[in-house]
Amino acid sequence: MSKNSSDIVADARRQDSGYSQVPTGQKIKAGLGVVALFAVAASAWMWSQQPDWRVLYTSLSDKDGGAVIASLAQMNVPYKFTEGGGAIMVPSGRVHDARLKLASQGLPRGGAVGFELMENQKFGTTQFQERLNFQRGLEGELARSIQGLAAVSNARVHLALPAQNGFLREQQKPSASVLLTLHPGRTLDRQQVAGILHLVASSVPDLGPKQVSILDQSGALLSDFDAPVNGLDPSQIGHQRQMEASLSRRVIDLLEPIVGLGNVRAQVTADLDFTQTEATAETYKPNQTPQAAAIRSQQSMESNERGGASATVGGVPGALSNQPPANGTAPVNAPAQTTQAAGGARPVGAAGGSAGGPAGDSSARRETLTNYEVDKTIRITRNPTGTIRRLSVAVLVNQRQTVDAEGRPVSTPLSAQEMESVNALVRDAVGFVKDRGDSVNVVNAAFTRVDSPAPAEVPLWKDPANIAMAKDLGKQFGFVLLALLILMMFIRPALKAASRPQALAAPAGRHPISASVDEELELPGPADEPRIGNSAAVNPNQGMGMTIAQHNALQLARTDPTAVATVVRGWVNGAEAGGRAAST
């Protein structure tokens, strides 16, 4: 039993449809699309696996940078450089681990060699080499310590350590010089410079702060503290400015509750006396009465001398001086003699001796020496420095601001009584002294207010945080969009071409084109109404409107009329055979 035309068409579709019927150009595009899709997927995966980089070290010298990179390569730690090579970056999860491991290796060394030089001493090193290595190590350690300051980028220390000998008078004091390289835009204040100076001076024996010189990269001497500015050293200038600011702040705090916040300005100029005077006075008080006097020391001496047998033998030692005294004589008419006794002078006559005593001369002597304390007062007076010689105070008070009936601002001056109250408050606040020559000037005037424009808001597309987030999202959406483009432009056309049925091969005894025509135009059976293909019937009112099948049939009839005639002949013969079969 022979197959009808519909069975033949179905078999041809099943046999000829598939990827093998896709044109070669579509196959090449599909292959390229698959390769590109895999490349996009691999790029997206690699980008998602990219680590979050963090700074490991910054501002390293070339020598230290090379040593750090070599160590990172040995530890299999990925790294990269920032733009310009100013910093070395590693994954965020390995920053601390890498720093600890590099620190165990003594990296980075900071461009200076420290006391590790003493660990590598060679055999046979002379005393001069040992002293030189010690000096180099000390210089390197001081440089590392100074580089620990935030404002210091690099430091070099030069020490001059003279050789000491046994002669004390010929010994020389050491000295030091420090060269600082500061970060751009950074400066060192007076306290920081003093700290560096005392750090170096305290690290070297017998090195005084005055023997240390500190310079910056521009050659300016930072350690010259003794040079006065306008007759005052920096500490005196700082004290003066601090006092002026304190008095100004005191006036503003006192007047703002009265005139309103921001409605008062005050400036104080203080003339301070930094003269240092010292006076020493030694005062002796007048002698006091004996009863109130204090005895410091007292000395008494008393002696008695008498003539006769009891008289003390005196004279030159020898035989003449050892003779017994001669008998005393008392002439009747001899003149009277006076002798000095302890109680004073009294006359001594012939019977001047004591009753029953031997006749002879006698004398007594008493001496007393008394030393009294002398009053003495020593007074040393040091006048305080930084005393106020004169104050000049200028205060500007804004007028009272009100609003009229129309809503416009109106300035009203303060009354005379209010200005007098303000003057009294300012005088009391600054400690006004008329005899000292102080002056206070208070002015009431309207302030000129300029409305400052509001700070411009940063647009969303200029916000750094939004820009970073947009970059991340843009990369993600970019990969997705690229994958969709590859699918739509390369792979989807090939899939559509593979799923679309191709021209059917003609069965035996039929023209090859008849199959395509049968596919496009399904012939109506005897009992069926005329219809064209799978499309709806064409409405005659549509004019020139035709279906795709009709258009293809018309084009086939124009290009190959013989084939169309053969197909029509087959249709006619099939219709006649069908009619005969029905009649029988």
Side-chain angles (χ1 to χ4, degrees), residues 416-440:
Q417 184 178 1
E418 291 176 338
M419 290 297 298
E420 184 62 29
S421 301
V422 171
N423 274 278
L425 290 176
V426 173
R427 290 191 186 97
D428 293 340
V430 300
F432 177 82
V433 179
K434 184 177 180 180
D435 298 337
R436 196 170 53 190
D438 297 348
S439 64
V440 174

Side-chain angles (χ1 to χ4, degrees), residues 506-523:
R510 299 181 62 184
H511 194 274
I513 199 63
S514 62
S516 63
V517 177
D518 290 340
E519 179 183 1
E520 297 293 338
L521 302 175
E522 294 184 2
L523 298 177

Side-chain angles (χ1 to χ4, degrees), residues 90-105:
V90 297
S92 58
R94 308 191 66 176
V95 172
H96 301 289
D97 184 35
R99 286 180 180 175
L100 293 176
K101 291 182 179 179
L102 292 174
S104 65
Q105 301 176 10

